[in-house]
Amino acid sequence: MIQLNRRTFLAGAMGTTFATALAACGSSNTASNGSAAGSSVAGSGKHIYVLTPSEDHGWTGSVATFAKAKIEEVNKAGAYEAELITSDNAADQIKRVEDILAGDTSKIAGIVIQPMDDTLQATIQSIADAKIPYVAFDRIIDAVASTAVSNVKGDNQGIGAGSAAWFVENGLKPGDDVYVFEGDTSSVTTLRNEGFTKYLTGDLDFDGTSIDGAAKWSEDDLKHITKSGATNWSRSDTKADFESLLGDEANAKIKWWYCEDDELAMGILEALNGGGISDSAKKTFFEQKPFITGCGGLDELYEVLRGNSYQDIVAKIGGLMSVTYSPSMIQTAIQDLIDSLDGKDVEQDHVIECHNVTAENVADFKSFK
């Protein structure tokens, strides 16, 4: 049986790292530490490039925001000169890396990159071929993962397992109808799907606990899980899809809604708050006392959990929950590179634990906008 126990970082200094992160961001998902920004001897002023999607909005945009904060810390320490480079698309990101490698690579300490998509495989291989230490973040491309100093990612299987565990805690029975709003066609969605079903079948634990034997799902039971197909992480698409689904009142009787991102969960809430669903379908839906999950840490959804919005809807459903997947993890990726450059041990497969966030514990976790 796979165990998803709480992970600890290998480097001895990480106790201080996580303590500082908690003070800075209010969440255990961050690893930022001013005193761990690199030794002047190891750094010698070499350049660190951090490549992420553009700082616009949502989860990916917030990655760049957290990266900027960590980069400021690194530059203040003076051991390395760090720089953020953002891109709007994969083609631009590929060109950015090509430009970096076309220069004097002897002045490069290392690279941290969040690949826009899997078309970056050859580009990342070129970083490895140039003998430049690099850390991959979030979207891990399996074919080149072994060449990275560290592959830093949230626990995507844990997100699925956490959602399933919460459903079971709240009465999910084998063979109950479940609807999954998927993100895209990447490994992220695959892992979030696997985590959900593996918890239900007893093949995966969450937070050190496993499903009770009597509550385990069979392969036939799993046939009652319906998947949306790729929503491309779109709130508006999910809202439209949900409105369409409830056009058939049979779907309004589904009690368990697993959204693989907070944006998708917000799409459901917006649909329920709007006029695109008939009153009779809404009545049937609310009679089921449905449960809805998301993940990520979106401030809008945390505001619902804090009791500051959508409370008329919250009062009619069984519950709302979000599994953590903080964009602040980029700070851990940057720190992993620096630790490795300074001769410390880092995990090559660095999976950051996740937590279930509800109205009861939302104050313990940092959200993003």
Side-chain angles (χ1 to χ4, degrees):
M1 178 178 292
I2 303 170
Q3 295 288 329
L4 287 182
N5 295 324
R6 299 184 182 277
R7 295 175 177 268
T8 55
F9 194 53
L10 294 180
M14 289 307 291
T16 305
T17 299
F18 278 109
T20 305
L22 286 166
C25 293
S27 169
S28 61
N29 294 328
T30 316
S32 174
N33 182 1
S35 64
S39 72
S40 58
V41 175
S44 302
K46 285 190 173 183
H47 213 86
I48 291 175
Y49 293 98
V50 181
L51 293 96
T52 74
S54 297
E55 186 182 14
D56 47 17
H57 65 278
W59 194 94
T60 54
S62 293
V63 170
T65 303
F66 281 105
K68 285 167 64 176
K70 182 67 175 177
I71 285 169
E72 181 179 350
E73 173 191 313
V74 171
N75 289 334
K76 187 178 295 185
Y80 301 95
E81 182 183 350
E83 175 183 355
L84 177 67
I85 298 176
T86 63
S87 299
D88 291 326
N89 53 66
D92 181 67
Q93 193 174 55
I94 290 170
K95 185 179 184 302
R96 298 282 190 156
V97 174
E98 289 173 346
D99 290 345
I100 291 169
L101 298 182
D104 184 358
T105 58
S106 68
K107 296 181 180 179
I108 302 174
I111 293 172
V112 177
I113 184 167
Q114 181 189 13
M116 297 289 291
D117 59 36
D118 288 359
T119 63
L120 270 288
Q121 178 177 322
T123 301
I124 291 177
Q125 183 62 56
S126 70
I127 297 173
D129 291 343
K131 308 299 182 186
I132 297 173
Y134 80 92
V135 170
F137 171 65
D138 183 43
R139 183 183 291 275
I140 308 304
I141 302 174
D142 290 340
V144 290
S146 63
T147 65
V149 167
S150 181
N151 295 291
V152 178
K153 56 194 173 185
D155 191 349
N156 283 302
Q157 278 201 331
I159 286 168
S163 295
W166 186 70
F167 281 168
V168 171
E169 289 171 10
N170 285 284
L172 178 71
K173 298 293 189 297
D176 281 355
D177 289 329
V178 178
Y179 196 90
V180 182
F181 275 110
E182 298 180 297
D184 57 18
T185 58
S186 74
S187 61
V188 171
T189 292
T190 300
L191 289 169
R192 292 180 186 185
N193 285 340
E194 286 180 354
F196 189 83
T197 56
K198 284 185 176 181
Y199 181 86
L200 294 178
T201 58
D203 295 316
L204 192 66
D205 290 357
F206 178 74
D207 200 18
T209 63
S210 58
I211 192 169
D212 182 76
K216 287 183 182 179
W217 285 44
S218 67
E219 290 300 317
D220 283 341
D221 292 328
L222 295 178
K223 294 175 183 177
H224 290 265
I225 299 175
T226 303
K227 299 171 184 175
S228 67
T231 62
N232 295 312
W233 312 105
S234 168
R235 179 190 304 201
S236 60
D237 287 356
T238 302
K239 177 183 176 182
D241 289 350
F242 184 75
E243 289 172 344
S244 178
L245 280 169
L246 265 63
D248 180 348
E249 291 199 24
N251 293 325
K253 295 181 180 179
I254 298 174
K255 184 171 183 173
W256 312 100
W257 298 84
Y258 167 34
C259 299
E260 296 185 338
D261 187 84
D262 286 343
E263 287 283 354
L264 312 187
M266 287 301 304
I268 290 180
L269 294 180
E270 288 189 359
L272 292 170
N273 198 45
I277 302 171
S278 69
D279 289 342
S280 61
K282 286 184 181 180
K283 181 175 183 293
T284 300
F285 181 78
F286 289 130
E287 284 175 347
Q288 314 310 311
K289 288 293 180 180
F291 287 80
I292 303 167
T293 71
C295 79
L298 183 68
D299 189 67
E300 281 183 85
L301 193 136
Y302 275 33
E303 277 291 276
V304 181
L305 294 175
R306 293 174 189 131
N308 297 328
S309 63
Y310 287 96
Q311 293 309 291
D312 54 336
I313 292 174
V314 169
K316 299 176 185 177
I317 64 175
L320 177 70
M321 187 272 288
S322 175
V323 191
T324 57
Y325 196 88
S326 174
S328 66
M329 294 183 293
I330 185 65
Q331 297 185 344
T332 300
I334 297 169
Q335 189 63 51
D336 272 11
L337 176 63
I338 291 171
D339 284 346
S340 177
L341 293 171
D342 286 353
K344 298 175 183 177
D345 290 330
V346 297
E347 294 178 271
Q348 187 176 55
D349 184 31
H350 191 169
V351 181
I352 299 175
E353 66 178 345
C354 56
H355 306 271
N356 285 352
V357 181
T358 64
E360 287 69 35
N361 67 353
V362 66
D364 297 333
F365 294 91
K366 176 75 175 181
S367 59
F368 67 89
K369 294 184 178 180

